[in-house]
Structures are given as C-alpha cells and as structure tokens.
Amino acid sequence: VEVQYQTVPVYEGEIPVKPATEQYSYVFKGWNPEIVPATAAVTYTAKFDSLINVYRVTFKNGDEIVQESDLKYDAMPSCAIVPVKPATEKYTYAFKGWTPEIESVTGNAVYQALFDSTIATFKVTFISHLGNILEVQTVNYGEAAIPPKDEASDGRYFVGWSRSIDNVTENMIVIALTDNIAMLSSSSVAESSSSVEESSSSIGSSSSQEENV
C-alpha cells in the first residue's frame, strides 16, 4: 500500500487468519511493528495470540455417559467414577479398565469401559436316603452336577434323585430316592414257593397213607 509521507497506513483487507494446529488456535492481535505515520517504506507483519486447544473427552459404560469433560491439549484424562455392570444369572462383572488405552489429549476422545466376567457358581448338596450328606459340589451355571454313588441299604434299591441336576442354575439340595418293591416282590415269591412245596409234600403223604389202607 502506498501512502503519503507522515500519513498513517490503514489496512483495509480481511482480518488476518493463522491456521490452527492440534495444539493451538490463533487470534489476530495487531501488527508488528506498531503502525505509525509513514516516514519510509515499512513492512507490517500480523501478530497472533495463541490459545491452547480444548477437546471433549467422554467416558462411557455401554450407551451410558459416565463422565464428560473438556480438557486442554496434552492433558492426561482420568475418570473419577468406577463403572459398574449389573450381574446376570450367569455372570458377575468386575471393571478392568478402558478401551482404547488412555492417552494424553490430542483431540476429542471416547473411552469405553471394559469388564472381566466371572461365571456364577452354585452349591449342589447330595443327601442319602438315610439323611446323610454324601457330597457337596460347586457347579458352574448351566452345567451338570456329577452324582455320587448312593449305597442303598435296609432292603432298599436306589432309583434316582429328587430333582434334575443336568442344568444347575441355583443352590440345590438333592435327595436320593429308593424303592423296596423289588426286594419285597422277591421275598413274596420265595414265600409262595415254600408254601407250594409244603402243600405238595402234604398231598404226597396223604396219598401214601390211603394206598396202605
């Protein structure tokens, strides 16, 4: 721009802009050197104030926002709240960290909570037909317990357990079931056979006596 001697130069163009970086944004603040009445050729260079950039950092647990904050470039994010994931019938959960790995701020970021899962376990208590504890097993959710051997006695036969143990989803008490029908039937057959034999003997004796007469 050409100006007359001792005239103050006036800039009539658009406000100068300096492109932002990841770390800084810039705001025009004036000219260097300070503008004064012209006495010789001079070059004025735009001056800028630098403002450190601020970014949004969000911590989430699934779809839920746990914490959200605006942090300056290069700050290290942290979350003051420990996320919780409700237990299900099958699993309990323990917070283990964030994904992706937390790094110093260089832009907007979203971190998602991570959890370790532990399968639920239940106690299955086996009771004999006499009321004694045969065994207590710890069984994972949805798995089958392994039944112990029940030594039935007192003329009884083991026929099974009081409830299914194929799909364990709760603490259980399982009682051995017995049946003495088979043994009683065998005894009845033996007694009947003895009676028949005795009757046959009696009939044979009577026939002999009649022949002798």
Side-chain angles (χ1 to χ4, degrees), residues 31-188:
W31 299 97
N32 183 41
E34 183 180 354
I35 297 177
V36 296
T39 58
V42 62
T43 298
Y44 294 101
T45 303
K47 296 188 299 183
F48 297 87
D49 278 333
S50 61
L51 302 174
I52 192 164
N53 289 331
V54 173
Y55 294 98
R56 178 63 54 90
V57 177
T58 305
F59 291 90
K60 298 183 72 175
N61 181 9
D63 294 329
E64 176 189 1
I65 294 176
V66 178
Q67 178 180 295
E68 198 166 47
S69 53
D70 295 324
L71 299 177
K72 292 181 178 181
Y73 180 92
D74 208 35
M76 181 60 70
S78 63
C79 184
I81 301 170
V82 178
V84 175
K85 185 173 182 178
T88 64
E89 284 189 355
K90 187 172 184 179
Y91 292 106
T92 57
Y93 300 93
F95 174 67
K96 67 177 292 187
W98 301 97
T99 184
E101 184 178 352
I102 295 176
E103 297 179 341
S104 58
V105 174
T106 58
N108 294 327
V110 176
Y111 296 99
Q112 187 68 241
L114 292 175
F115 296 88
D116 280 327
S117 60
T118 302
I119 193 166
T121 59
F122 300 96
K123 299 292 185 183
V124 178
T125 303
F126 290 92
I127 305 295
S128 74
H129 67 290
L130 296 176
N132 302 318
I133 294 177
L134 296 172
E135 187 176 342
V136 179
Q137 295 180 13
T138 300
V139 182
N140 291 338
Y141 178 96
E143 296 183 5
I146 301 174
K149 182 178 180 181
D150 180 60
E151 296 293 343
S153 59
D154 300 331
R156 296 179 181 272
Y157 292 93
F158 173 74
V159 295
W161 299 97
S162 60
R163 57 188 302 187
S164 173
I165 54 174
D166 292 336
N167 182 25
V168 176
T169 59
E170 61 182 348
N171 292 325
M172 301 169 62
I173 294 177
V174 187
I175 302 171
L177 301 177
T178 60
D179 191 357
N180 62 352
I181 294 175
M183 181 167 283
L184 290 175
S185 298
S186 298
S187 299
S188 299

